Amino acid sequence: DQQVKQNSPSLSVQEGRISILNCDYTNSMFDYFLWYKKYPAEGPTFLISISSIKDKNEDGRFTVFLNKSAKHLSLHIVPSQPGDSAVYFCAASASGMGNNDMRFGAGTRLTVKP
Amino acid sequence: SQTIHQWPATLVQPVGSPLSLECTVEGTSNPNLYWYRQAAGRGLQLLFYSVGIGQISSEVPQNLSASRPQDRQFILSSKKLLLSDSGFYLCAWSTFPGQAFFGQGTRLTVV
């Protein structure tokens, strides 16, 4: 049962343009969402997060938007840089039920072309 | 500061052989600990998580097992590896709710 879905396995954008990565979830108990960036043969590194009490969180070039009614979140990278090329994972967790697991999407491979 | 150590970085094992991957965390107490697997071309699959010593929750039925003998030590094991066990294994810790911090991963190839 895949509770977190990233339906686009890959995305290619031109340097300087906006990258938009999307993520959908099915479990309405999720209340904390995160984005991770992963390079080959390395562990994922935390990028940005958002609590369900917010609908937007911004950190430099990275902004995460949360639409709770649609159970959808997105990561915007503006402007995109070649160094942003990596696999991006969306993750979600649910604090209200005392669950301690963190669920990940399948990932989206972003390629930023110079 | 907190650090997470995972070893070995790469491992090639024959089918039917045992497995033991170890993960230790420094600089934090009573962390939540996780084992994930990334199969080729796929996302991160949660295998096990632990909220305390001896407390293991399994997400996927398989021939793998996990143990937490100490607060900051998490071990992934198998008695007999299968070809399908090949993948990239990641250990992680977190303070709940919050971000998870990952180790560098172990590339396991079962031949």
Side-chain angles (χ1 to χ4, degrees):
Chain A
D1 178 23
Q2 196 170 2
Q3 300 183 42
V4 179
K5 299 179 182 180
Q6 292 176 258
N7 293 319
S8 298
S10 63
L11 174 68
S12 181
V13 301
Q14 207 67 34
E15 181 178 7
R17 308 294 286 270
I18 184 172
S19 296
I20 300 176
L21 297 98
N22 294 302
C23 178
D24 298 291
Y25 60 96
T26 57
N27 189 341
S28 59
M29 298 306 299
F30 287 143
D31 57 5
Y32 193 72
F33 306 90
L34 310 95
W35 283 94
Y36 286 82
K37 179 179 180 180
K38 185 183 183 300
Y39 294 112
E42 293 184 8
T45 54
F46 171 76
L47 196 57
I48 193 169
S49 64
I50 188 167
S51 165
S52 60
I53 63 174
K54 295 184 175 181
D55 55 18
K56 177 183 175 182
N57 188 26
E58 189 173 354
D59 183 4
R61 297 186 297 114
F62 303 91
T63 303
V64 56
F65 295 92
L66 175 63
N67 182 334
K68 289 188 292 294
S69 60
K71 295 190 177 66
H72 177 84
L73 65 154
S74 60
L75 174 68
H76 292 211
I77 306 174
V78 181
S80 301
Q81 300 173 355
D84 296 328
S85 298
V87 176
Y88 289 79
F89 289 99
C90 169
S93 62
S95 60
M97 294 293 290
N99 294 330
N100 292 281
D101 57 347
M102 185 175 293
R103 303 283 172 165
F104 284 81
T108 297
R109 181 177 300 279
L110 174 65
T111 303
V112 181
K113 299 179 179 179
Chain B
S1 62
Q2 302 91 352
T3 57
I4 180 169
H5 303 279
Q6 182 183 344
W7 67 93
T10 59
L11 191 59
V12 180
Q13 292 284 99
V15 169
S17 64
L19 172 73
S20 181
L21 302 181
E22 188 164 344
C23 172
T24 60
V25 180
E26 296 177 358
T28 186
S29 296
N30 197 31
N32 295 323
L33 296 173
Y34 308 84
W35 279 110
Y36 289 90
R37 176 172 60 198
Q38 184 185 18
R42 301 182 66 181
L44 295 174
Q45 181 185 35
L46 178 64
L47 301 176
F48 302 95
Y49 70 90
S50 171
V51 300
I53 295 174
Q55 301 179 61
I56 309 294
S57 296
S58 174
E59 290 297 308
V60 182
Q62 58 209 328
N63 69 323
L64 298 172
S65 62
S67 62
R68 186 170 178 174
Q70 300 179 40
D71 180 44
R72 289 169 285 180
Q73 183 185 28
F74 206 23
I75 298 173
L76 181 69
S77 305
S78 174
K79 293 181 179 179
K80 289 185 178 182
L81 284 169
L82 306 172
L83 286 174
S84 58
D85 291 325
S86 294
F88 192 58
Y89 289 82
L90 289 155
C91 178
W93 74 271
S94 76
T95 53
F96 182 77
Q99 62 173 287
F101 298 89
F102 286 84
Q104 287 297 298
T106 298
R107 170 72 60 193
L108 172 65
T109 304
V110 182
V111 296

